[in-house]
Amino acid sequence: MPINDLPVLSVLRTKMQWHQERQRVLSENVSNSDTPNFKPRDLVEPKFESTGAASGSTGALAMMRTSTSHIEPAGGGGQTFEQSRKSGFQTRPAGNAVNLEDEMLKVSANQMDYAAVTSLYSKSLHLLKTAIGKG
């Protein structure tokens, strides 16, 4: 079995990819902080099973309902878009709902989390190399 197929490394790689994509989304929020009618977005954090596999049969993110009038996903459940939003965000007269302080806090937290996951990944690889005698 290749080292890359180990569940722990797979989970860490998925988390790193999620943090990279979230950083892109958060930077778009910051860059559009003066765009009229712009609503900030964020990503749903992936959930993992005890085996290390991503939740869901395909490992993809679950579908979300953006309106209660939409059809519910197969298998029931599914989050609605409203559950992942802050209830008290402020919208400026131009319709923009980006709060720069909140977005910058999210960017900073995301950067620290990415650094932690990257460190865990590299240390796990080093540990495996040492265990097989190539470190």
Side-chain angles (χ1 to χ4, degrees), residues 86-127:
K86 275 189 170 179
S87 60
F89 67 86
Q90 297 178 351
T91 302
R92 288 183 270 179
N96 189 300
V98 176
N99 183 336
L100 280 177
E101 291 82 11
D102 287 345
E103 294 302 315
M104 294 309 292
L105 285 172
K106 288 179 190 176
V107 166
S108 174
N110 190 60
Q111 183 179 4
M112 289 188 298
D113 291 345
Y114 179 79
V117 172
T118 304
S119 176
L120 282 171
Y121 187 80
S122 63
K123 288 181 183 195
S124 296
L125 283 179
H126 180 69
L127 184 64

PDB file of all heavy atoms in Angstrom, residues 86-127:
ATOM      1  N   LYS A  86     -24.442  33.487   9.799  1.00  0.00           N
ATOM      2  CA  LYS A  86     -24.590  34.238  11.043  1.00  0.00           C
ATOM      3  C   LYS A  86     -25.926  34.932  11.008  1.00  0.00           C
ATOM      4  O   LYS A  86     -26.339  35.454   9.986  1.00  0.00           O
ATOM      5  CB  LYS A  86     -23.485  35.279  11.159  1.00  0.00           C
ATOM      6  CG  LYS A  86     -22.217  34.768  11.735  1.00  0.00           C
ATOM      7  CD  LYS A  86     -21.317  35.943  11.986  1.00  0.00           C
ATOM      8  CE  LYS A  86     -20.125  35.529  12.791  1.00  0.00           C
ATOM      9  NZ  LYS A  86     -19.220  36.622  13.031  1.00  0.00           N
ATOM     10  N   SER A  87     -26.590  34.977  12.129  1.00  0.00           N
ATOM     11  CA  SER A  87     -27.909  35.587  12.138  1.00  0.00           C
ATOM     12  C   SER A  87     -27.841  37.099  12.278  1.00  0.00           C
ATOM     13  O   SER A  87     -28.788  37.790  11.951  1.00  0.00           O
ATOM     14  CB  SER A  87     -28.744  35.002  13.276  1.00  0.00           C
ATOM     15  OG  SER A  87     -28.094  35.258  14.506  1.00  0.00           O
ATOM     16  N   GLY A  88     -26.716  37.656  12.751  1.00  0.00           N
ATOM     17  CA  GLY A  88     -26.689  39.071  13.034  1.00  0.00           C
ATOM     18  C   GLY A  88     -25.772  39.891  12.141  1.00  0.00           C
ATOM     19  O   GLY A  88     -25.260  40.895  12.591  1.00  0.00           O
ATOM     20  N   PHE A  89     -25.512  39.458  10.916  1.00  0.00           N
ATOM     21  CA  PHE A  89     -24.616  40.269  10.093  1.00  0.00           C
ATOM     22  C   PHE A  89     -25.317  41.548   9.647  1.00  0.00           C
ATOM     23  O   PHE A  89     -26.522  41.602   9.528  1.00  0.00           O
ATOM     24  CB  PHE A  89     -24.063  39.481   8.899  1.00  0.00           C
ATOM     25  CG  PHE A  89     -25.077  39.101   7.864  1.00  0.00           C
ATOM     26  CD1 PHE A  89     -25.402  39.981   6.853  1.00  0.00           C
ATOM     27  CD2 PHE A  89     -25.693  37.859   7.894  1.00  0.00           C
ATOM     28  CE1 PHE A  89     -26.334  39.633   5.892  1.00  0.00           C
ATOM     29  CE2 PHE A  89     -26.624  37.512   6.946  1.00  0.00           C
ATOM     30  CZ  PHE A  89     -26.946  38.399   5.939  1.00  0.00           C
ATOM     31  N   GLN A  90     -24.508  42.569   9.428  1.00  0.00           N
ATOM     32  CA  GLN A  90     -25.053  43.864   9.048  1.00  0.00           C
ATOM     33  C   GLN A  90     -24.866  44.076   7.558  1.00  0.00           C
ATOM     34  O   GLN A  90     -23.828  43.761   6.992  1.00  0.00           O
ATOM     35  CB  GLN A  90     -24.343  44.977   9.802  1.00  0.00           C
ATOM     36  CG  GLN A  90     -24.548  44.906  11.291  1.00  0.00           C
ATOM     37  CD  GLN A  90     -23.774  46.002  12.009  1.00  0.00           C
ATOM     38  OE1 GLN A  90     -22.967  46.700  11.410  1.00  0.00           O
ATOM     39  NE2 GLN A  90     -24.028  46.142  13.293  1.00  0.00           N
ATOM     40  N   THR A  91     -25.877  44.621   6.933  1.00  0.00           N
ATOM     41  CA  THR A  91     -25.807  44.947   5.518  1.00  0.00           C
ATOM     42  C   THR A  91     -25.778  46.463   5.384  1.00  0.00           C
ATOM     43  O   THR A  91     -26.597  47.157   5.953  1.00  0.00           O
ATOM     44  CB  THR A  91     -27.028  44.379   4.767  1.00  0.00           C
ATOM     45  OG1 THR A  91     -27.062  42.970   4.974  1.00  0.00           O
ATOM     46  CG2 THR A  91     -26.941  44.668   3.290  1.00  0.00           C
ATOM     47  N   ARG A  92     -24.795  46.944   4.627  1.00  0.00           N
ATOM     48  CA  ARG A  92     -24.678  48.382   4.414  1.00  0.00           C
ATOM     49  C   ARG A  92     -25.716  48.838   3.402  1.00  0.00           C
ATOM     50  O   ARG A  92     -26.317  48.024   2.700  1.00  0.00           O
ATOM     51  CB  ARG A  92     -23.270  48.706   3.931  1.00  0.00           C
ATOM     52  CG  ARG A  92     -22.258  48.538   5.067  1.00  0.00           C
ATOM     53  CD  ARG A  92     -20.909  48.924   4.622  1.00  0.00           C
ATOM     54  NE  ARG A  92     -20.302  47.710   4.078  1.00  0.00           N
ATOM     55  CZ  ARG A  92     -19.107  47.643   3.558  1.00  0.00           C
ATOM     56  NH1 ARG A  92     -18.375  48.700   3.459  1.00  0.00           N
ATOM     57  NH2 ARG A  92     -18.627  46.518   3.116  1.00  0.00           N
ATOM     58  N   PRO A  93     -25.931  50.140   3.287  1.00  0.00           N
ATOM     59  CA  PRO A  93     -26.945  50.655   2.354  1.00  0.00           C
ATOM     60  C   PRO A  93     -26.753  50.181   0.912  1.00  0.00           C
ATOM     61  O   PRO A  93     -27.715  50.014   0.177  1.00  0.00           O
ATOM     62  CB  PRO A  93     -26.791  52.170   2.459  1.00  0.00           C
ATOM     63  CG  PRO A  93     -26.271  52.393   3.832  1.00  0.00           C
ATOM     64  CD  PRO A  93     -25.380  51.210   4.115  1.00  0.00           C
ATOM     65  N   ALA A  94     -25.501  49.917   0.494  1.00  0.00           N
ATOM     66  CA  ALA A  94     -25.256  49.437  -0.868  1.00  0.00           C
ATOM     67  C   ALA A  94     -25.587  47.961  -1.018  1.00  0.00           C
ATOM     68  O   ALA A  94     -25.490  47.410  -2.107  1.00  0.00           O
ATOM     69  CB  ALA A  94     -23.800  49.683  -1.256  1.00  0.00           C
ATOM     70  N   GLY A  95     -25.965  47.286   0.080  1.00  0.00           N
ATOM     71  CA  GLY A  95     -26.329  45.875   0.013  1.00  0.00           C
ATOM     72  C   GLY A  95     -25.177  44.946   0.325  1.00  0.00           C
ATOM     73  O   GLY A  95     -25.324  43.728   0.298  1.00  0.00           O
ATOM     74  N   ASN A  96     -23.995  45.484   0.633  1.00  0.00           N
ATOM     75  CA  ASN A  96     -22.830  44.662   0.929  1.00  0.00           C
ATOM     76  C   ASN A  96     -22.892  44.204   2.375  1.00  0.00           C
ATOM     77  O   ASN A  96     -23.141  44.992   3.276  1.00  0.00           O
ATOM     78  CB  ASN A  96     -21.553  45.469   0.686  1.00  0.00           C
ATOM     79  CG  ASN A  96     -20.310  44.624   0.759  1.00  0.00           C
ATOM     80  OD1 ASN A  96     -20.040  44.025   1.776  1.00  0.00           O
ATOM     81  ND2 ASN A  96     -19.582  44.576  -0.329  1.00  0.00           N
ATOM     82  N   ALA A  97     -22.643  42.917   2.616  1.00  0.00           N
ATOM     83  CA  ALA A  97     -22.745  42.361   3.966  1.00  0.00           C
ATOM     84  C   ALA A  97     -21.399  41.876   4.497  1.00  0.00           C
ATOM     85  O   ALA A  97     -21.355  41.102   5.435  1.00  0.00           O
ATOM     86  CB  ALA A  97     -23.749  41.213   3.974  1.00  0.00           C
ATOM     87  N   VAL A  98     -20.287  42.321   3.900  1.00  0.00           N
ATOM     88  CA  VAL A  98     -18.968  41.873   4.345  1.00  0.00           C
ATOM     89  C   VAL A  98     -18.522  42.697   5.541  1.00  0.00           C
ATOM     90  O   VAL A  98     -18.501  43.921   5.495  1.00  0.00           O
ATOM     91  CB  VAL A  98     -17.930  42.008   3.201  1.00  0.00           C
ATOM     92  CG1 VAL A  98     -16.545  41.646   3.695  1.00  0.00           C
ATOM     93  CG2 VAL A  98     -18.318  41.142   2.024  1.00  0.00           C
ATOM     94  N   ASN A  99     -18.164  42.018   6.623  1.00  0.00           N
ATOM     95  CA  ASN A  99     -17.594  42.662   7.802  1.00  0.00           C
ATOM     96  C   ASN A  99     -16.100  42.350   7.777  1.00  0.00           C
ATOM     97  O   ASN A  99     -15.696  41.208   8.007  1.00  0.00           O
ATOM     98  CB  ASN A  99     -18.256  42.125   9.068  1.00  0.00           C
ATOM     99  CG  ASN A  99     -17.759  42.808  10.313  1.00  0.00           C
ATOM    100  OD1 ASN A  99     -16.659  43.356  10.347  1.00  0.00           O
ATOM    101  ND2 ASN A  99     -18.562  42.764  11.349  1.00  0.00           N
ATOM    102  N   LEU A 100     -15.278  43.350   7.477  1.00  0.00           N
ATOM    103  CA  LEU A 100     -13.846  43.116   7.305  1.00  0.00           C
ATOM    104  C   LEU A 100     -13.177  42.534   8.546  1.00  0.00           C
ATOM    105  O   LEU A 100     -12.292  41.686   8.430  1.00  0.00           O
ATOM    106  CB  LEU A 100     -13.136  44.411   6.897  1.00  0.00           C
ATOM    107  CG  LEU A 100     -13.255  44.774   5.425  1.00  0.00           C
ATOM    108  CD1 LEU A 100     -12.590  46.110   5.160  1.00  0.00           C
ATOM    109  CD2 LEU A 100     -12.644  43.702   4.555  1.00  0.00           C
ATOM    110  N   GLU A 101     -13.587  42.977   9.723  1.00  0.00           N
ATOM    111  CA  GLU A 101     -12.975  42.454  10.948  1.00  0.00           C
ATOM    112  C   GLU A 101     -13.232  40.953  11.086  1.00  0.00           C
ATOM    113  O   GLU A 101     -12.315  40.186  11.378  1.00  0.00           O
ATOM    114  CB  GLU A 101     -13.515  43.187  12.190  1.00  0.00           C
ATOM    115  CG  GLU A 101     -13.070  44.632  12.289  1.00  0.00           C
ATOM    116  CD  GLU A 101     -13.918  45.577  11.450  1.00  0.00           C
ATOM    117  OE1 GLU A 101     -14.980  45.157  10.944  1.00  0.00           O
ATOM    118  OE2 GLU A 101     -13.504  46.735  11.284  1.00  0.00           O
ATOM    119  N   ASP A 102     -14.473  40.535  10.852  1.00  0.00           N
ATOM    120  CA  ASP A 102     -14.796  39.105  10.936  1.00  0.00           C
ATOM    121  C   ASP A 102     -14.040  38.308   9.878  1.00  0.00           C
ATOM    122  O   ASP A 102     -13.525  37.220  10.151  1.00  0.00           O
ATOM    123  CB  ASP A 102     -16.297  38.874  10.762  1.00  0.00           C
ATOM    124  CG  ASP A 102     -17.104  39.314  11.969  1.00  0.00           C
ATOM    125  OD1 ASP A 102     -16.502  39.529  13.044  1.00  0.00           O
ATOM    126  OD2 ASP A 102     -18.341  39.443  11.837  1.00  0.00           O
ATOM    127  N   GLU A 103     -13.981  38.839   8.672  1.00  0.00           N
ATOM    128  CA  GLU A 103     -13.298  38.123   7.593  1.00  0.00           C
ATOM    129  C   GLU A 103     -11.808  37.992   7.879  1.00  0.00           C
ATOM    130  O   GLU A 103     -11.215  36.938   7.643  1.00  0.00           O
ATOM    131  CB  GLU A 103     -13.519  38.830   6.252  1.00  0.00           C
ATOM    132  CG  GLU A 103     -14.954  38.819   5.783  1.00  0.00           C
ATOM    133  CD  GLU A 103     -15.537  37.432   5.626  1.00  0.00           C
ATOM    134  OE1 GLU A 103     -14.871  36.544   5.069  1.00  0.00           O
ATOM    135  OE2 GLU A 103     -16.679  37.228   6.080  1.00  0.00           O
ATOM    136  N   MET A 104     -11.195  39.038   8.401  1.00  0.00           N
ATOM    137  CA  MET A 104      -9.766  38.971   8.703  1.00  0.00           C
ATOM    138  C   MET A 104      -9.487  38.016   9.863  1.00  0.00           C
ATOM    139  O   MET A 104      -8.452  37.338   9.876  1.00  0.00           O
ATOM    140  CB  MET A 104      -9.206  40.362   8.992  1.00  0.00           C
ATOM    141  CG  MET A 104      -9.243  41.284   7.779  1.00  0.00           C
ATOM    142  SD  MET A 104      -8.516  40.565   6.278  1.00  0.00           S
ATOM    143  CE  MET A 104      -6.806  40.484   6.737  1.00  0.00           C
ATOM    144  N   LEU A 105     -10.406  37.939  10.827  1.00  0.00           N
ATOM    145  CA  LEU A 105     -10.255  36.949  11.896  1.00  0.00           C
ATOM    146  C   LEU A 105     -10.340  35.528  11.342  1.00  0.00           C
ATOM    147  O   LEU A 105      -9.582  34.637  11.733  1.00  0.00           O
ATOM    148  CB  LEU A 105     -11.318  37.155  12.970  1.00  0.00           C
ATOM    149  CG  LEU A 105     -11.103  38.340  13.913  1.00  0.00           C
ATOM    150  CD1 LEU A 105     -12.326  38.539  14.801  1.00  0.00           C
ATOM    151  CD2 LEU A 105      -9.859  38.131  14.759  1.00  0.00           C
ATOM    152  N   LYS A 106     -11.268  35.320  10.408  1.00  0.00           N
ATOM    153  CA  LYS A 106     -11.392  33.997   9.775  1.00  0.00           C
ATOM    154  C   LYS A 106     -10.139  33.662   8.975  1.00  0.00           C
ATOM    155  O   LYS A 106      -9.657  32.524   9.005  1.00  0.00           O
ATOM    156  CB  LYS A 106     -12.604  33.967   8.848  1.00  0.00           C
ATOM    157  CG  LYS A 106     -13.927  33.961   9.546  1.00  0.00           C
ATOM    158  CD  LYS A 106     -15.048  33.965   8.517  1.00  0.00           C
ATOM    159  CE  LYS A 106     -16.402  34.205   9.118  1.00  0.00           C
ATOM    160  NZ  LYS A 106     -17.444  34.305   8.087  1.00  0.00           N
ATOM    161  N   VAL A 107      -9.596  34.649   8.252  1.00  0.00           N
ATOM    162  CA  VAL A 107      -8.379  34.436   7.460  1.00  0.00           C
ATOM    163  C   VAL A 107      -7.225  34.054   8.379  1.00  0.00           C
ATOM    164  O   VAL A 107      -6.474  33.116   8.099  1.00  0.00           O
ATOM    165  CB  VAL A 107      -8.040  35.699   6.631  1.00  0.00           C
ATOM    166  CG1 VAL A 107      -6.629  35.634   6.073  1.00  0.00           C
ATOM    167  CG2 VAL A 107      -9.043  35.879   5.510  1.00  0.00           C
ATOM    168  N   SER A 108      -7.079  34.770   9.487  1.00  0.00           N
ATOM    169  CA  SER A 108      -5.999  34.493  10.428  1.00  0.00           C
ATOM    170  C   SER A 108      -6.145  33.104  11.050  1.00  0.00           C
ATOM    171  O   SER A 108      -5.172  32.343  11.128  1.00  0.00           O
ATOM    172  CB  SER A 108      -6.004  35.563  11.518  1.00  0.00           C
ATOM    173  OG  SER A 108      -5.067  35.269  12.507  1.00  0.00           O
ATOM    174  N   ALA A 109      -7.351  32.758  11.491  1.00  0.00           N
ATOM    175  CA  ALA A 109      -7.584  31.435  12.079  1.00  0.00           C
ATOM    176  C   ALA A 109      -7.347  30.337  11.052  1.00  0.00           C
ATOM    177  O   ALA A 109      -6.757  29.291  11.370  1.00  0.00           O
ATOM    178  CB  ALA A 109      -9.004  31.346  12.626  1.00  0.00           C
ATOM    179  N   ASN A 110      -7.777  30.564   9.818  1.00  0.00           N
ATOM    180  CA  ASN A 110      -7.579  29.586   8.756  1.00  0.00           C
ATOM    181  C   ASN A 110      -6.088  29.383   8.483  1.00  0.00           C
ATOM    182  O   ASN A 110      -5.631  28.258   8.283  1.00  0.00           O
ATOM    183  CB  ASN A 110      -8.313  30.030   7.489  1.00  0.00           C
ATOM    184  CG  ASN A 110      -8.351  28.953   6.448  1.00  0.00           C
ATOM    185  OD1 ASN A 110      -8.881  27.881   6.681  1.00  0.00           O
ATOM    186  ND2 ASN A 110      -7.771  29.240   5.291  1.00  0.00           N
ATOM    187  N   GLN A 111      -5.333  30.467   8.489  1.00  0.00           N
ATOM    188  CA  GLN A 111      -3.892  30.376   8.244  1.00  0.00           C
ATOM    189  C   GLN A 111      -3.200  29.581   9.350  1.00  0.00           C
ATOM    190  O   GLN A 111      -2.343  28.734   9.073  1.00  0.00           O
ATOM    191  CB  GLN A 111      -3.307  31.775   8.148  1.00  0.00           C
ATOM    192  CG  GLN A 111      -1.838  31.808   7.823  1.00  0.00           C
ATOM    193  CD  GLN A 111      -1.307  33.226   7.708  1.00  0.00           C
ATOM    194  OE1 GLN A 111      -2.025  34.191   7.948  1.00  0.00           O
ATOM    195  NE2 GLN A 111      -0.045  33.341   7.354  1.00  0.00           N
ATOM    196  N   MET A 112      -3.586  29.827  10.604  1.00  0.00           N
ATOM    197  CA  MET A 112      -2.986  29.075  11.714  1.00  0.00           C
ATOM    198  C   MET A 112      -3.368  27.597  11.653  1.00  0.00           C
ATOM    199  O   MET A 112      -2.528  26.722  11.893  1.00  0.00           O
ATOM    200  CB  MET A 112      -3.407  29.687  13.049  1.00  0.00           C
ATOM    201  CG  MET A 112      -2.780  31.030  13.323  1.00  0.00           C
ATOM    202  SD  MET A 112      -3.085  31.671  14.978  1.00  0.00           S
ATOM    203  CE  MET A 112      -4.857  31.826  14.996  1.00  0.00           C
ATOM    204  N   ASP A 113      -4.619  27.301  11.326  1.00  0.00           N
ATOM    205  CA  ASP A 113      -5.058  25.910  11.214  1.00  0.00           C
ATOM    206  C   ASP A 113      -4.334  25.199  10.075  1.00  0.00           C
ATOM    207  O   ASP A 113      -3.950  24.037  10.200  1.00  0.00           O
ATOM    208  CB  ASP A 113      -6.569  25.835  11.004  1.00  0.00           C
ATOM    209  CG  ASP A 113      -7.358  26.261  12.236  1.00  0.00           C
ATOM    210  OD1 ASP A 113      -6.768  26.344  13.324  1.00  0.00           O
ATOM    211  OD2 ASP A 113      -8.568  26.519  12.083  1.00  0.00           O
ATOM    212  N   TYR A 114      -4.141  25.895   8.957  1.00  0.00           N
ATOM    213  CA  TYR A 114      -3.420  25.313   7.820  1.00  0.00           C
ATOM    214  C   TYR A 114      -1.979  24.997   8.215  1.00  0.00           C
ATOM    215  O   TYR A 114      -1.458  23.931   7.895  1.00  0.00           O
ATOM    216  CB  TYR A 114      -3.456  26.259   6.621  1.00  0.00           C
ATOM    217  CG  TYR A 114      -2.702  25.728   5.431  1.00  0.00           C
ATOM    218  CD1 TYR A 114      -3.269  24.765   4.607  1.00  0.00           C
ATOM    219  CD2 TYR A 114      -1.423  26.170   5.130  1.00  0.00           C
ATOM    220  CE1 TYR A 114      -2.586  24.256   3.523  1.00  0.00           C
ATOM    221  CE2 TYR A 114      -0.736  25.674   4.044  1.00  0.00           C
ATOM    222  CZ  TYR A 114      -1.311  24.721   3.239  1.00  0.00           C
ATOM    223  OH  TYR A 114      -0.626  24.219   2.173  1.00  0.00           O
ATOM    224  N   ALA A 115      -1.340  25.917   8.940  1.00  0.00           N
ATOM    225  CA  ALA A 115       0.040  25.683   9.377  1.00  0.00           C
ATOM    226  C   ALA A 115       0.116  24.471  10.304  1.00  0.00           C
ATOM    227  O   ALA A 115       1.059  23.675  10.215  1.00  0.00           O
ATOM    228  CB  ALA A 115       0.583  26.929  10.076  1.00  0.00           C
ATOM    229  N   ALA A 116      -0.868  24.313  11.185  1.00  0.00           N
ATOM    230  CA  ALA A 116      -0.882  23.164  12.093  1.00  0.00           C
ATOM    231  C   ALA A 116      -1.042  21.856  11.325  1.00  0.00           C
ATOM    232  O   ALA A 116      -0.344  20.876  11.593  1.00  0.00           O
ATOM    233  CB  ALA A 116      -1.999  23.318  13.116  1.00  0.00           C
ATOM    234  N   VAL A 117      -1.967  21.830  10.360  1.00  0.00           N
ATOM    235  CA  VAL A 117      -2.196  20.611   9.578  1.00  0.00           C
ATOM    236  C   VAL A 117      -0.967  20.284   8.731  1.00  0.00           C
ATOM    237  O   VAL A 117      -0.559  19.122   8.628  1.00  0.00           O
ATOM    238  CB  VAL A 117      -3.451  20.765   8.698  1.00  0.00           C
ATOM    239  CG1 VAL A 117      -3.593  19.591   7.739  1.00  0.00           C
ATOM    240  CG2 VAL A 117      -4.693  20.878   9.543  1.00  0.00           C
ATOM    241  N   THR A 118      -0.344  21.303   8.158  1.00  0.00           N
ATOM    242  CA  THR A 118       0.861  21.093   7.353  1.00  0.00           C
ATOM    243  C   THR A 118       1.987  20.523   8.208  1.00  0.00           C
ATOM    244  O   THR A 118       2.705  19.611   7.776  1.00  0.00           O
ATOM    245  CB  THR A 118       1.302  22.418   6.705  1.00  0.00           C
ATOM    246  OG1 THR A 118       0.220  22.943   5.958  1.00  0.00           O
ATOM    247  CG2 THR A 118       2.487  22.223   5.798  1.00  0.00           C
ATOM    248  N   SER A 119       2.133  21.043   9.415  1.00  0.00           N
ATOM    249  CA  SER A 119       3.156  20.538  10.323  1.00  0.00           C
ATOM    250  C   SER A 119       2.884  19.079  10.700  1.00  0.00           C
ATOM    251  O   SER A 119       3.804  18.253  10.691  1.00  0.00           O
ATOM    252  CB  SER A 119       3.194  21.405  11.584  1.00  0.00           C
ATOM    253  OG  SER A 119       4.103  20.880  12.510  1.00  0.00           O
ATOM    254  N   LEU A 120       1.636  18.754  10.994  1.00  0.00           N
ATOM    255  CA  LEU A 120       1.280  17.364  11.303  1.00  0.00           C
ATOM    256  C   LEU A 120       1.568  16.437  10.124  1.00  0.00           C
ATOM    257  O   LEU A 120       2.068  15.321  10.300  1.00  0.00           O
ATOM    258  CB  LEU A 120      -0.195  17.262  11.679  1.00  0.00           C
ATOM    259  CG  LEU A 120      -0.576  17.692  13.079  1.00  0.00           C
ATOM    260  CD1 LEU A 120      -2.093  17.732  13.213  1.00  0.00           C
ATOM    261  CD2 LEU A 120       0.016  16.740  14.099  1.00  0.00           C
ATOM    262  N   TYR A 121       1.253  16.896   8.928  1.00  0.00           N
ATOM    263  CA  TYR A 121       1.476  16.081   7.728  1.00  0.00           C
ATOM    264  C   TYR A 121       2.973  15.808   7.529  1.00  0.00           C
ATOM    265  O   TYR A 121       3.376  14.667   7.316  1.00  0.00           O
ATOM    266  CB  TYR A 121       0.893  16.793   6.506  1.00  0.00           C
ATOM    267  CG  TYR A 121       0.921  15.973   5.251  1.00  0.00           C
ATOM    268  CD1 TYR A 121      -0.037  14.997   5.014  1.00  0.00           C
ATOM    269  CD2 TYR A 121       1.904  16.168   4.280  1.00  0.00           C
ATOM    270  CE1 TYR A 121      -0.024  14.234   3.856  1.00  0.00           C
ATOM    271  CE2 TYR A 121       1.921  15.416   3.119  1.00  0.00           C
ATOM    272  CZ  TYR A 121       0.959  14.451   2.916  1.00  0.00           C
ATOM    273  OH  TYR A 121       0.986  13.698   1.767  1.00  0.00           O
ATOM    274  N   SER A 122       3.780  16.867   7.621  1.00  0.00           N
ATOM    275  CA  SER A 122       5.218  16.670   7.393  1.00  0.00           C
ATOM    276  C   SER A 122       5.842  15.819   8.502  1.00  0.00           C
ATOM    277  O   SER A 122       6.714  14.983   8.224  1.00  0.00           O
ATOM    278  CB  SER A 122       5.935  18.010   7.263  1.00  0.00           C
ATOM    279  OG  SER A 122       5.843  18.737   8.452  1.00  0.00           O
ATOM    280  N   LYS A 123       5.389  15.993   9.747  1.00  0.00           N
ATOM    281  CA  LYS A 123       5.922  15.168  10.832  1.00  0.00           C
ATOM    282  C   LYS A 123       5.485  13.714  10.693  1.00  0.00           C
ATOM    283  O   LYS A 123       6.253  12.805  11.006  1.00  0.00           O
ATOM    284  CB  LYS A 123       5.502  15.741  12.184  1.00  0.00           C
ATOM    285  CG  LYS A 123       6.240  17.024  12.500  1.00  0.00           C
ATOM    286  CD  LYS A 123       5.869  17.602  13.825  1.00  0.00           C
ATOM    287  CE  LYS A 123       6.618  18.912  13.989  1.00  0.00           C
ATOM    288  NZ  LYS A 123       6.641  19.407  15.324  1.00  0.00           N
ATOM    289  N   SER A 124       4.278  13.483  10.204  1.00  0.00           N
ATOM    290  CA  SER A 124       3.812  12.114   9.982  1.00  0.00           C
ATOM    291  C   SER A 124       4.638  11.436   8.890  1.00  0.00           C
ATOM    292  O   SER A 124       5.012  10.265   9.023  1.00  0.00           O
ATOM    293  CB  SER A 124       2.332  12.105   9.589  1.00  0.00           C
ATOM    294  OG  SER A 124       1.538  12.599  10.622  1.00  0.00           O
ATOM    295  N   LEU A 125       4.930  12.175   7.828  1.00  0.00           N
ATOM    296  CA  LEU A 125       5.779  11.616   6.767  1.00  0.00           C
ATOM    297  C   LEU A 125       7.175  11.309   7.292  1.00  0.00           C
ATOM    298  O   LEU A 125       7.738  10.252   6.982  1.00  0.00           O
ATOM    299  CB  LEU A 125       5.867  12.583   5.586  1.00  0.00           C
ATOM    300  CG  LEU A 125       4.668  12.638   4.662  1.00  0.00           C
ATOM    301  CD1 LEU A 125       4.892  13.670   3.560  1.00  0.00           C
ATOM    302  CD2 LEU A 125       4.393  11.275   4.042  1.00  0.00           C
ATOM    303  N   HIS A 126       7.725  12.222   8.068  1.00  0.00           N
ATOM    304  CA  HIS A 126       9.059  11.997   8.629  1.00  0.00           C
ATOM    305  C   HIS A 126       9.064  10.772   9.548  1.00  0.00           C
ATOM    306  O   HIS A 126       9.997   9.960   9.518  1.00  0.00           O
ATOM    307  CB  HIS A 126       9.533  13.240   9.385  1.00  0.00           C
ATOM    308  CG  HIS A 126      10.898  13.088   9.980  1.00  0.00           C
ATOM    309  ND1 HIS A 126      12.037  13.012   9.204  1.00  0.00           N
ATOM    310  CD2 HIS A 126      11.298  12.959  11.272  1.00  0.00           C
ATOM    311  CE1 HIS A 126      13.088  12.856   9.986  1.00  0.00           C
ATOM    312  NE2 HIS A 126      12.660  12.824  11.256  1.00  0.00           N
ATOM    313  N   LEU A 127       8.029  10.616  10.360  1.00  0.00           N
ATOM    314  CA  LEU A 127       7.907   9.469  11.255  1.00  0.00           C
ATOM    315  C   LEU A 127       7.840   8.163  10.462  1.00  0.00           C
ATOM    316  O   LEU A 127       8.505   7.169  10.812  1.00  0.00           O
ATOM    317  CB  LEU A 127       6.673   9.615  12.143  1.00  0.00           C
ATOM    318  CG  LEU A 127       6.450   8.547  13.199  1.00  0.00           C
ATOM    319  CD1 LEU A 127       7.574   8.552  14.218  1.00  0.00           C
ATOM    320  CD2 LEU A 127       5.113   8.781  13.892  1.00  0.00           C
TER     321      LEU A 127
END
